[in-house]
């Protein structure tokens, strides 16, 4: 990839990439900057040797998502102070804002321990704010099927988080 192409791709992609990462880490600016920078460094290394992918923004989002999930997989159990007191209400069918670092850490800690399909479904709905209709179209299933899958995924996520909350003596 030529230098001019890299610069243009950087200018087009860096803002949306930072927004994508920041939304997933609850506006933890330091983490968002680190992940965005590491993603771009990996892109440079990969694209210089093997050429750019057909869809650079999608490639960047995938790498950033994986870096964040790896970060949260390695993260120790959250302390009870980081858990929002209304943590169970965060899984409502109407979605929720996961806009603080504590909220994002809680959500991502659980997502990093779920199967990829359910985690991506919850991300699409809760983090990206995508409507059920759009998710259903993309998946090629009915809206009702997506709603059912979301309910099951939320239930699994709750089950992943409940032992953490209970073991810390937090809200039940």
């Amino acid at each position: 990839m030529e230098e001019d192409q890299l610069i243009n791709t950087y200018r087009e992609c860096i803002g949306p990439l930072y927004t994508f990462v920041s939304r997933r880490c609850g506006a933890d600016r330091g983490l968002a900057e680190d992940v965005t920078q590491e993603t771009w460094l990996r892109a440079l290394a990969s694209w210089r040797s093997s050429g750019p992918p057909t869809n650079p923004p999608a490639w960047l989002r995938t790498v950033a998502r994986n870096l964040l999930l790896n970060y949260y997989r390695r993260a120790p159990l959250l302390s009870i102070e980081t858990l929002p007191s209304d943590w169970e209400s965060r899984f409502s069918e109407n979605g929720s804002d996961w806009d603080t670092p504590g909220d994002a850490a809680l959500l991502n800690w659980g997502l990093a321990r779920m199967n990829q399909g359910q985690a991506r479904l919850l991300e699409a709905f809760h983090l990206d704010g995508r409507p059920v209709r759009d998710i259903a179209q993309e998946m090629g299933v009915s809206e009702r099927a997506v709603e059912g899958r979301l309910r099951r995924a939320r239930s699994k996520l709750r089950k992943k988080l409940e032992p953490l909350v209970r073991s810390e003596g937090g809200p039940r």
Side-chain angles (χ1 to χ4, degrees), residues 8-23:
N8 287 337
T9 302
Y10 177 85
R11 287 181 180 149
E12 291 172 13
C13 295
I14 201 67
L17 175 64
Y18 180 81
T19 300
F20 175 86
V21 172
S22 182
R23 190 178 314 129

Side-chain angles (χ1 to χ4, degrees), residues 131-145:
V132 169
R133 176 184 308 125
D134 292 354
I135 297 169
Q137 280 182 328
E138 183 179 297
M139 294 175 73
V141 298
S142 70
E143 290 180 38
R144 192 169 182 149

